[in-house]
Amino acid sequence: MVKSYHPETLEEALKILVETHCIPYAGGTDLMVRYRQGPGLVPNFDRPVMFIGHFPELTAISEKNGEFSIGACVPYRDIIRHPHTPEILRQACSLIGAPAIQNLGTMGGNICNASPAGDTLPPLSVLDATLTLRSVSGERKVSFLSFFTGPGKSILRDDELLTCIHFRLPHFTVEGYRKVGTRKANALSKIAFAGFMLKEKDMLSDVRIALGAVAPTIVRSRELENRLIGQPVAELAELMPDLLKSYGKLIQPITDQRSDANYRKTVSLRLIKNFVLKEES
Amino acid sequence: MSQTIQFNLNGKAVFLKTDPMRRLLDVLRDDFSETGVKEGCGEGECGACSVFLNGKLVNSCLVAVGSITGMNVETIVHFQHTQAYRIIEQAFSDAGSVQCGFCTPGMVLAAYALLKENPDPDETDIREAISGNLCRCTGYNMIVDGIKLAAKKGDGKW
Amino acid sequence: MKNSISTPVDRLDGPEKASGRAIYTDDIRPDGLLYARTLRADRPRARILHIRLPDIPVGYFIVDKNDVPGHNRIKMLEDDWPFFAEEVINHVGEPILLVVGPDREKVNVILHGIKVEYEDLPAVLSIKDAIAAKNPIFGDDNCFASYQFQKGDPDPVFTDAKTIIKGEFKTGYHEQAYMEPQGVIGNYVNGKLTVTGSMQCPYYVKNAMVQLTGFPENQVQIIQATTGGAFGGKEEYPSLLAGHVAIAAIKTGKPVKLVLERGEDLAVTTKRHPSISRYRSAVDENGRVIAMEADITLDGGAYAGLSAVVLQRALFAAIGVYDIPNVTVRGRVLSTNQVPSGAFRGFGAPQAFFAVEMHMEQIASELGMNPLTFKEIHLVKQGDTTATGGLLRDEIKIREMLSRVLKMSDYRKKEGIFASGNGRFRSGIGLGLYLHGCGFTGKGEDTIHGTATIRKLTEDRAEILVSNVEMGQGAQTTLRKIVATTLGLPIQNIDYPNPDTDRVPDSGPTVASRTVIIVGHLLESAAKELKARWNENETFSVSKSYRHPSYIKWNQDTLQGDAYPAYSWGVVAVEVQVDTLTYETTIKKVWTVHDVGVAIDEDIIRGQVEGGILQGLGYASIEVMDTANGAYRQHNFTDYIIPTAVDAPVIESELVDNPYEYGPFGAKCAGELPIAGAAPAYAAAVSRALGIPVHEIPVKPEALIKGLKE
């Protein structure tokens, strides 16, 4: 039986974290599955556990002058219902599990798991989100993409908590989100796609593209996006073959019990092409 | 490391000396004989273990009991004595929504969670609201009909 | 004209289930209860060299083959399936021993402390391996059963035929996915063994326990607990689990519960047999199939189980609903080192209907004919013969049903519009035409002679005594309705407690869609007699035993004659839309008409129809189950995906009345029928939407995209 902590304040939580390197427990929807043992058995957590789902600082969601800030322990349900949540993030959260999961699960958990298939990762990536990480020794802000170092791996130290996710509400003319799941609801992703484009007059002024579940971490390349930025919309089609070839090198999917590498790669490239050229998701 | 955990179960304060990492599902079934809460998968996929936690539908297999200190848990055992339940039960009866019954208590709670927030749901709302509650018997349409009928009979009084 | 018995009543088991008051197996907690967990083989084929146990604390027990007082084999067609592994294990998950004790955590620790040393043996892991038979598991050819029969004289027709069309069709594993995992509780008090559990066939379990223990019959009692879905998955498998808790209860002298957790249930219980079917048809110059040859191979897994009978039903369905004058059907079910395959709604027929329906599509397409027209001209009619030469005596309404489905779905118009579709979203509509032989296959009903009893309890109350169970399909409602209507009593005045073998006669298992047509008919006759003699006594019973109607002629050795006493029929149209960006398919709508004789209750039938169709659609689309080194790759409901309410299409469903003389109120069979046509209708719809042939289910987007050039 592991020790568990139920701190009263975030400060107390950070102290416990530095002392025990415990597992932070927010919604529990992933942890309780990962450590489950079966009916009547206590999940076999291998380290102490600390409940962090109840701090006001971590459960607040706010929007002010286009600056969005989501506490790490805000459940998906509250993100879905917030009036200013960007549509691609709302769609991603609505397609995670089902209502009962959305009432418990948190975006902080989705990020810290660092699963390549985390459904909020592609939208947060194209939103150029910033993450606030706190420990007793202070706070640091890191860019979303720099957070992930591999499947299940991130730069989060074991004395740190992810406390908040920030991003600026973007100005774009085209947005797209597409989850290719194992079924139409309550599904895991075979592929997740998120994108933004800003088309001004006949030019592509900006584009951001991210893909999940098709490589060890999220696929997002500013370098490849830059190849499109500043190009006339009419000429995007010509750039596609080379661009897709380059994306093809970044997309390194696996074959598992839910899909296969060929499908994931082929469809990922089709989603990119369709998004850039067709203006629809 | 047993701890004393306090929460409200069906309107009554309970104090339980137990391992905080135990699943709420096991606590309800083993310590409180709430056998109306079912285990279908243990992974939050099937919804048979649904309960209300502070009024929100959750899968009790995914909740460590230590995380619900001070919260309100309502199960089918209590909910069946409400007027809302009676409307849903009758509607499920009229629509033929029940077959093997293993998913039904969870389905009833999911239906109520929907109707309380959206008393006049359309077909899509209903299907999404029960998308975390698997049923292998009915093909769902007779459950969807039951919820439509309950919405009509309940007439917004949830 | 609608029969008055068909008017729906409220299900009598509804309120106790909706409120959570119904008691399922895992809800039963007797005093002194011990919990059992199973140590299972972690590899497909091996010799057990040594089992190293940790220290076993007082009050905890290891139960294995050495504790079996009788015969360590499940009583079935072949006695090859051990309760507990002996020297050799033959599939991943095969039970070796139980750990039993009062505290589940401690049981778990002991279980994980056991080490088994194996000597691996070469495993047979596919139908191909099984055919090669290099290291046979069963006999010298790995063949659990094989059959062949003929109608007409097909060989010369093939020799002379101008056009011969061949096709190969494959189906995958299919998991029943009942919502309540399997579970049983054993108890042994004063020399009497009692097993309570989630099951379809209390007497199968009883017979298995008698053979296992060597006890006299009156010292074995089996009680069905409220059962949360079964679909065939709780036909034979509960006998194995019951044997485990029986031996554990005898050894410990305490009640012992064994409930599988979902992952364990998925990993070790029986599934629908994967199949490979090869078809060959000779077609004349008028586009008429004049001879058909079907060769169906099933993967039976490690033990014989019910595989031989599953194969029979597949073979008897091999030419579908078509009138083919010359036919050869052969098939075999092979042994592999995989989890045994077993009963699942349809019992072999869905594999055959997928193959024959897709073969008919294929022939039409290769001949340049419209598949609907092609199927229509081959439809059987009253007086035609089945593949086994049985006579289709009763009126056949499939043409009327087909026209109704075509009208409901606006089929011909859609077919035309969809054929010219070329955008990103492509639509398709497909048809499935099917039948189901009612009751046991072949000699089954005439062998078991099921008995049903009704007891008069008071002046206005009677009790049904049968071994058939409510498992969600509505037996509590339909059987009571039959008896209540016949006796002229309110339905609430008919008792029908869950079967207990100490109280009920053996009316046979709850399988083969036989509960209403066979057992319901016995109850109807018993009720008629009881009513006529009602005033004879305060309480008394009337029993009836089944005899085939005299017209049925069947030869089990030659497989010739009437394989079933009657047939129910179905037609289904499925409309899909494929997104050619991702090759994901959406099922837009389903239209269907069934002939189940007379519906005992229209709501119950609608529930069977819609549930069966969705199960069939899942089988054809998203329900992927496959193996790696003998173990299923899908470990839970996150990997093995069944449809949710969002995936499920609206189903427009109608019935035609077509009373059967020997069915209660004219009813025939209904439970399994609706699953048979959905898969080929779906596959045909996808095939037409994309203009490519589909020969395998599940139809995965991964497979559809494979052939594309980017």
Side-chain angles (χ1 to χ4, degrees):
Chain A
M1 188 185 284
V2 298
K3 200 167 163 53
S4 66
Y5 301 93
H6 205 293
E8 301 274 322
T9 63
L10 178 56
E11 284 63 36
E12 195 190 328
L14 294 172
K15 250 184 247 162
I16 295 168
L17 193 57
V18 72
E19 284 159 12
T20 67
H21 302 301
C22 53
I23 303 173
Y25 175 116
T29 54
D30 284 306
L31 291 177
M32 293 297 280
V33 174
R34 191 181 310 162
Y35 293 102
R36 75 184 285 267
Q37 296 205 93
L41 299 174
V42 182
N44 61 343
F45 287 87
D46 49 6
R47 279 182 289 151
V49 175
M50 176 169 66
F51 299 111
I52 59 161
H54 53 289
F55 304 130
E57 302 96 309
L58 303 194
T59 49
I61 177 166
S62 69
E63 188 270 328
K64 212 180 194 175
N65 303 327
E67 289 290 340
F68 223 97
S69 154
I70 302 174
C73 297
V74 174
Y76 298 120
R77 164 198 163 99
D78 294 356
I79 301 170
I80 294 165
R81 290 170 189 220
H82 193 281
H84 298 121
T85 299
E87 194 47 38
I88 56 167
L89 185 59
R90 188 196 314 282
Q91 280 185 31
C93 293
S94 322
L95 289 170
I96 294 176
I101 301 277
Q102 291 157 10
N103 286 336
L104 282 178
T106 68
M107 202 154 73
N110 203 231
I111 295 168
C112 292
N113 277 338
S115 158
D119 277 319
T120 64
L121 275 43
L124 289 172
S125 172
V126 296
L127 283 162
D128 282 339
T130 304
L131 306 178
T132 302
L133 314 181
R134 268 185 76 174
S135 68
V136 285
S137 47
E139 179 178 290
R140 55 174 176 151
K141 285 193 168 22
V142 301
S143 77
F144 189 74
L145 282 177
S146 70
F147 183 78
F148 304 98
T149 54
K153 293 198 179 98
S154 72
I155 59 168
L156 187 74
R157 298 193 311 258
D158 54 10
D159 66 340
E160 271 181 325
L161 275 187
L162 167 64
T163 55
C164 197
I165 300 107
H166 316 263
F167 52 83
R168 239 197 112 62
L169 287 178
H171 170 61
F172 279 93
T173 51
V174 184
E175 60 183 333
Y177 179 76
R178 177 67 182 256
K179 170 170 174 164
V180 181
T182 44
R183 67 185 161 201
K184 302 216 177 295
N186 199 5
L188 291 189
S189 288
K190 297 176 178 178
I191 304 160
F193 172 93
F196 280 129
M197 281 193 290
L198 179 61
K199 290 184 181 174
E200 290 173 316
K201 299 196 179 122
D202 295 325
M203 301 290 280
L204 187 62
S205 311
D206 198 1
V207 61
R208 302 178 194 174
I209 288 169
L211 288 142
V214 295
T217 62
I218 210 86
V219 171
R220 169 101 201 262
S221 166
R222 200 59 186 158
E223 187 198 329
L224 295 183
E225 290 165 3
N226 280 333
R227 288 201 209 163
L228 299 175
I229 293 168
Q231 299 293 334
V233 170
E235 288 172 24
L236 292 175
E238 281 172 41
L239 301 170
M240 266 312 122
D242 279 352
L243 185 85
L244 294 181
K245 205 174 277 175
S246 302
Y247 268 111
K249 285 178 191 147
L250 301 178
I251 295 166
Q252 296 293 339
I254 56 163
T255 292
D256 61 11
Q257 70 274 41
R258 289 190 273 275
S259 189
D260 65 39
N262 174 61
Y263 178 81
R264 286 184 162 115
K265 189 161 194 161
T266 308
V267 173
S268 295
L269 296 176
R270 291 170 141 238
L271 289 170
I272 295 171
K273 183 176 169 190
N274 178 69
F275 176 70
V276 175
L277 299 183
K278 297 267 185 69
E279 304 187 14
E280 56 173 291
S281 58
Chain B
M1 238 58 64
S2 284
Q3 289 176 16
T4 301
I5 293 157
Q6 182 274 321
F7 61 97
N8 299 310
L9 176 58
N10 293 326
K12 286 187 194 130
V14 297
F15 296 85
L16 188 69
K17 198 168 156 50
T18 193
D19 184 336
M21 298 323 295
R22 283 178 68 205
R23 307 181 305 168
L24 177 59
L25 169 62
D26 291 327
V27 169
L28 292 172
R29 288 182 57 82
D30 296 349
D31 301 18
F32 295 100
S33 302
E34 298 251 355
T35 53
V37 188
K38 307 291 182 201
E39 176 157 1
C41 74
E43 302 205 335
E45 286 287 332
C46 77
C49 68
S50 299
V51 299
F52 288 119
L53 185 61
N54 279 357
K56 292 185 184 124
L57 189 75
V58 301
N59 303 113
S60 63
C61 71
L62 299 183
V63 175
V65 70
S67 72
I68 64 160
T69 299
M71 294 191 186
N72 298 311
V73 176
E74 185 181 13
T75 70
I76 190 73
V77 172
H78 186 255
F79 182 65
Q80 66 176 292
H81 301 298
T82 62
Q83 178 64 19
Y85 171 79
R86 279 188 284 275
I87 293 168
I88 297 171
E89 186 200 275
Q90 189 56 53
F92 272 36
S93 236
D94 292 346
S97 317
V98 182
Q99 289 196 29
C100 87
F102 203 75
C103 76
T104 315
M107 211 55 98
V108 166
L109 296 184
Y112 178 62
L114 168 71
L115 293 170
K116 161 174 88 150
E117 293 198 349
N118 179 1
D120 187 22
D122 65 19
E123 174 108 13
T124 307
D125 298 333
I126 296 174
R127 288 180 186 273
E128 283 174 0
I130 59 169
S131 63
N133 295 78
L134 297 176
C135 165
R136 190 59 153 172
C137 296
T138 63
Y140 299 105
N141 294 320
M142 295 175 86
I143 297 174
V144 173
D145 289 352
I147 298 174
K148 282 183 190 163
L149 196 58
K152 207 170 140 198
K153 293 259 174 72
D155 197 23
K157 296 185 216 61
W158 304 97
Chain C
M1 214 183 54
K2 202 174 98 171
N3 196 303
S4 65
I5 196 158
S6 305
T7 307
V9 297
D10 282 357
R11 276 183 77 118
L12 293 152
D13 52 346
E16 68 170 24
K17 287 176 171 174
S19 63
R21 293 192 306 271
I23 300 296
Y24 298 79
T25 303
D26 198 21
D27 305 335
I28 302 170
R29 307 192 168 199
D31 287 344
L33 180 63
L34 304 182
Y35 294 91
R37 291 277 301 278
T38 313
L39 178 79
R40 302 182 176 283
D42 64 358
R43 57 201 67 207
R45 193 180 195 187
R47 187 176 308 284
I48 298 174
L49 297 179
H50 182 65
I51 300 174
R52 193 149 43 86
L53 299 173
D55 288 339
I56 308 295
V58 176
Y60 290 78
F61 303 87
I62 301 295
V63 178
D64 68 8
K65 63 179 196 305
N66 299 319
D67 298 305
V68 172
H71 186 33
N72 184 30
R73 289 287 188 281
I74 307 175
K75 187 171 170 59
M76 255 186 278
L77 304 167
E78 305 273 347
D79 277 354
D80 66 334
W81 192 344
F83 285 93
F84 294 104
E86 293 169 357
E87 287 75 29
V88 171
I89 57 94
N90 279 309
H91 66 88
V92 173
E94 183 158 352
I96 297 169
L97 56 81
L98 300 184
V99 180
V100 180
D103 182 282
R104 280 178 284 184
E105 298 283 358
K106 285 188 184 141
V107 167
N108 190 44
V109 170
I110 297 168
L111 185 70
H112 286 94
I114 302 173
K115 298 276 172 283
V116 184
E117 275 174 50
Y118 297 97
E119 176 197 342
D120 284 316
L121 300 171
V124 177
L125 294 173
S126 64
I127 284 179
K128 213 173 123 195
D129 284 0
I131 293 169
K134 260 191 268 171
N135 301 286
I137 311 160
F138 186 89
D140 52 14
D141 59 358
N142 274 329
C143 193
F144 286 133
S146 69
Y147 305 105
Q148 176 163 354
F149 52 90
Q150 262 187 11
K151 170 177 153 182
D153 193 8
D155 291 346
V157 182
F158 274 109
T159 312
D160 298 341
K162 209 169 71 195
T163 310
I164 292 177
I165 292 173
K166 294 180 192 175
E168 183 176 292
F169 307 92
K170 288 185 186 172
T171 63
Y173 281 109
H174 190 200
E175 156 67 31
Q176 294 86 356
Y178 32 72
M179 282 297 114
E180 180 211 20
Q182 305 238 10
V184 287
I185 298 173
N187 208 351
Y188 184 63
V189 179
N190 300 331
K192 180 155 183 174
L193 172 69
T194 305
V195 179
T196 305
S198 186
M199 63 180 73
Q200 295 175 233
C201 314
Y203 272 93
Y204 278 5
V205 176
K206 174 162 180 166
N207 297 338
M209 295 309 97
V210 167
Q211 174 161 308
L212 168 71
T213 58
F215 293 176
E217 294 205 4
N218 62 8
Q219 286 171 29
V220 176
Q221 176 187 24
I222 311 298
I223 303 168
Q224 183 240 356
T226 302
T227 296
F231 313 109
K234 296 171 184 173
E235 177 170 347
E236 71 272 39
Y237 204 80
S239 295
L240 174 67
L241 299 176
H244 289 173
V245 292
I247 300 302
I250 293 166
K251 181 162 185 173
T252 62
K254 295 207 165 141
V256 178
K257 184 193 279 188
L258 178 60
V259 173
L260 302 186
E261 64 100 14
R262 176 62 62 185
E264 190 178 20
D265 194 311
L266 283 173
V268 306
T269 62
T270 49
K271 321 289 175 216
R272 189 186 304 290
H273 294 68
S275 72
I276 300 176
S277 300
R278 293 196 178 85
Y279 273 69
R280 187 162 81 108
S281 287
V283 187
D284 71 12
E285 59 280 9
N286 303 316
R288 181 98 179 119
V289 177
I290 42 175
M292 187 179 277
E293 189 179 279
D295 183 346
I296 298 177
T297 305
L298 303 179
D299 182 343
Y303 297 110
L306 301 170
S307 282
V309 195
V310 171
L311 177 65
Q312 287 174 29
R313 197 177 268 276
L315 299 182
F316 300 160
I319 59 167
V321 293
Y322 304 110
D323 172 29
I324 314 288
N326 303 291
V327 176
T328 298
V329 178
R330 60 176 169 266
R332 57 196 161 164
V333 56
L334 299 172
S335 169
T336 61
N337 290 110
Q338 310 203 83
V339 171
S341 304
F344 188 170
R345 190 182 211 163
F347 208 74
Q351 293 95 317
F353 276 103
F354 174 72
V356 68
E357 285 291 278
M358 297 318 285
H359 183 50
M360 291 296 278
E361 292 273 331
Q362 174 202 16
I363 301 170
S365 149
E366 290 188 22
L367 296 176
M369 289 179 71
N370 177 292
L372 164 59
T373 315
F374 182 72
K375 285 180 177 181
E376 233 172 347
I377 59 172
H378 287 91
L379 282 178
V380 282
K381 54 187 187 311
Q382 190 172 16
D384 286 346
T385 55
T386 66
T388 58
L391 181 63
L392 293 165
R393 270 178 203 82
D394 300 319
E395 189 180 356
I396 294 172
K397 296 196 167 180
I398 195 161
R399 283 179 180 73
E400 177 191 326
M401 293 156 61
L402 175 60
S403 354
R404 186 67 199 132
V405 167
L406 297 178
K407 188 147 186 272
M408 287 157 70
S409 60
D410 208 0
Y411 186 92
R412 287 187 196 275
K413 191 174 149 205
K414 283 182 178 157
E415 193 181 41
I417 297 170
F418 295 165
S420 56
N422 58 4
R424 171 173 154 192
F425 294 97
R426 310 271 171 84
S427 294
I429 188 162
L431 272 178
L433 296 121
Y434 47 102
L435 53 74
H436 195 79
C438 302
F440 267 138
T441 295
K443 64 175 181 177
E445 293 299 346
D446 220 25
T447 309
I448 65 162
H449 299 306
T451 299
T453 300
I454 307 176
R455 183 161 179 79
K456 177 183 171 188
L457 297 174
T458 65
E459 273 316 298
D460 63 352
R461 199 157 196 93
E463 183 184 17
I464 293 172
L465 294 162
V466 296
S467 58
N468 301 90
V469 310
E470 169 68 56
M471 51 189 176
Q473 89 283 34
Q476 279 282 347
T477 307
T478 49
L479 295 188
R480 281 202 250 196
K481 205 171 177 186
I482 289 165
V483 172
T485 309
T486 310
L487 290 176
L489 289 174
I491 192 167
Q492 293 79 3
N493 291 20
I494 308 299
D495 293 345
Y496 173 20
N498 289 341
D500 167 348
T501 56
D502 273 10
R503 297 193 65 238
V504 301
D506 186 357
S507 51
T510 316
V511 304
S513 308
R514 61 185 292 283
T515 301
V516 166
I517 188 174
I518 304 290
V519 182
H521 184 53
L522 294 174
L523 286 171
E524 184 189 31
S525 348
K528 278 181 185 160
E529 187 180 320
L530 189 67
K531 191 178 183 193
R533 295 169 45 198
W534 191 255
N535 296 323
E536 249 177 44
N537 225 322
E538 276 177 29
T539 69
F540 66 104
S541 301
V542 174
S543 295
K544 294 282 172 190
S545 292
Y546 185 81
R547 291 283 178 279
H548 259 336
S550 57
Y551 63 76
I552 295 176
K553 305 277 179 272
W554 175 251
N555 184 328
Q556 187 70 37
D557 299 324
T558 59
L559 304 181
Q560 289 298 301
D562 299 303
Y564 304 97
Y567 297 86
S568 283
W569 304 80
V571 179
V572 64
V574 174
E575 182 184 332
V576 303
Q577 188 184 62
V578 186
D579 179 352
T580 58
L581 187 62
T582 61
Y583 282 81
E584 291 169 290
T585 300
T586 304
I587 302 163
K588 303 300 277 186
K589 197 165 173 184
V590 173
W591 301 264
T592 189
V593 177
H594 289 92
D595 161 10
V596 297
V598 169
I600 293 300
D601 186 288
E602 283 173 345
D603 270 2
I604 300 280
I605 295 297
R606 184 180 161 209
Q608 289 302 295
V609 164
E610 298 212 355
I613 284 178
L614 189 62
Q615 227 167 23
L617 291 171
Y619 181 41
S621 57
I622 57 175
E623 295 185 25
V624 178
M625 185 166 248
D626 49 16
T627 58
N629 200 26
Y632 297 117
R633 297 202 306 150
Q634 293 71 21
H635 305 294
N636 46 41
F637 273 174
T638 316
D639 295 342
Y640 188 78
I641 301 295
I642 64 170
T644 68
V646 176
D647 299 275
V650 169
I651 298 172
E652 222 176 278
S653 167
E654 291 184 3
L655 298 172
V656 293
D657 259 19
N658 190 9
Y660 168 58
E661 189 185 347
Y662 298 92
F665 295 87
K668 296 190 286 191
C669 61
E672 296 170 277
L673 173 72
I675 205 172
Y682 174 91
V686 173
S687 159
R688 283 188 222 159
L690 297 173
I692 54 171
V694 172
H695 287 178
E696 183 169 355
I697 50 169
V699 186
K700 295 185 280 189
E702 285 78 5
L704 294 175
I705 217 158
K706 211 158 257 168
L708 296 179
K709 289 271 177 291
E710 287 298 314

